[in-house]
Amino acid sequence: MNRKERRVVVFAAAAALVLGVAPCADAMHIMEGALPASSCIVWGVICLPFLAAGFFSIKKTLNHNRSSITLLAMAGAFVFVISSLKIPSVTGSCSHMTGTGLGAILFGPAAVSILGAIVLLFQAILLAHGGLTTIGANIFSMAIAGPFVSYGIFVLCNKMKVNRKVSVFLAATLGDLFTYCITAFQLAFAHHADTTLGHALGEFLVIFAPTQLPLSIVEGILTVLIIAALESYAKPELRAIGYLKEGQ
């Protein structure tokens, strides 16, 4: 990023810090009305610096190699399709695969914040999946927290010389699971008036686990299959975005 772009990201981060610690802070697809207004505002504000960084990340990628827009669109479409297949879970929420691990592995976590935000907006408007008031909370859990974990796991596995397919599987699976850990925290934080935050969090995690554990494993397998297909048929594109090194 150049100096002007860094200033925008820093400004957004500062706004998130100032507004995020406001008194209203005490107040996965979380549906409309499942969170109080204070929580909706805080989660939305926290997302701002990540979305700014994601915009500049995508801009840099496309400026470097315009043809990478095909892979970028594919990663976004994967998120849209796979996260639309939902299973009812906690009242006010649902379990589903996220699909964000693929984009995080290929383009980094910042870019996925934009892809996820677009997907969540379209799903809220067209499919009544999630909500407009809760979109900030949903963006943070699915398009920010999960992808950062996926990317971190993938990079760590690469440094440890773990088999690439195993690395992709672990990244996608654990990123999915972390998304729902964050969703459980968001719900527990908003609805723990009659108990402690820890107890409420534990209850939400237990309710999510029976559906989310197998779904995360399925997502890991699907992501490995897609990466394997891309490595067979789209090697030039993968080299262009830096996923494969020259000669691989």
Side-chain angles (χ1 to χ4, degrees):
M1 291 186 290
N2 59 36
R3 182 178 297 178
K4 181 179 179 181
E5 292 170 341
R6 285 197 296 269
R7 286 177 179 174
V8 173
V9 174
V10 171
F11 176 80
L17 179 62
V18 172
L19 296 176
V21 298
C24 64
D26 61 359
M28 171 198 51
H29 285 28
I30 301 175
M31 73 176 189
E32 212 74 79
L35 295 178
S38 57
S39 291
C40 293
I41 293 170
V42 168
W43 288 114
V45 169
I46 290 173
C47 291
L48 292 177
F50 297 97
L51 293 173
F55 172 79
F56 294 130
S57 175
I58 291 176
K59 181 181 178 182
K60 180 180 178 181
T61 298
L62 295 181
N63 287 341
H64 177 71
N65 180 26
R66 193 70 182 176
S67 63
S68 62
I69 193 171
T70 303
L71 282 179
L72 193 65
M74 181 215 68
F78 182 65
V79 174
F80 182 85
V81 172
I82 205 170
S83 64
S84 296
L85 306 175
K86 56 183 181 177
I87 299 174
S89 185
V90 185
T91 299
S93 187
C94 58
S95 289
H96 58 78
M97 293 176 279
T98 65
T100 55
L102 176 64
I105 291 168
L106 295 178
F107 295 99
V112 181
S113 66
I114 295 295
L115 297 180
I118 293 171
V119 166
L120 287 163
L121 180 62
F122 272 86
Q123 288 178 338
I125 294 173
L126 301 178
L127 304 178
H129 188 191
L132 293 177
T133 60
T134 58
I135 196 168
N138 288 327
I139 288 173
F140 185 81
S141 63
M142 193 178 100
I144 295 174
F148 269 91
V149 168
S150 291
Y151 182 74
I153 294 294
F154 184 71
V155 170
L156 179 62
C157 287
N158 280 344
K159 289 184 177 181
M160 297 174 65
K161 307 299 183 183
V162 177
N163 177 275
R164 183 178 293 158
K165 289 183 174 60
V166 175
S167 301
V168 170
F169 174 79
L170 290 175
T173 300
L174 296 178
D176 180 292
L177 285 176
F178 191 70
T179 293
Y180 277 88
C181 290
I182 296 299
T183 298
F185 173 79
Q186 289 170 330
L187 290 168
F189 189 76
H191 303 289
H192 70 282
D194 298 329
T195 184
T196 64
L197 176 61
H199 186 266
L201 176 60
E203 288 184 339
F204 281 117
L205 288 173
V206 167
I207 296 173
F208 275 136
T211 52
Q212 203 56 41
L213 283 172
L215 284 176
S216 64
I217 293 172
V218 171
E219 179 173 343
I221 294 171
L222 287 175
T223 306
V224 170
L225 293 175
I226 291 174
I227 290 289
L230 290 174
E231 289 178 352
S232 297
Y233 301 105
K235 282 188 176 181
E237 290 81 0
L238 293 179
R239 291 192 191 101
I241 63 175
Y243 175 79
L244 292 178
K245 305 299 182 183
E246 290 298 330
Q248 288 185 322

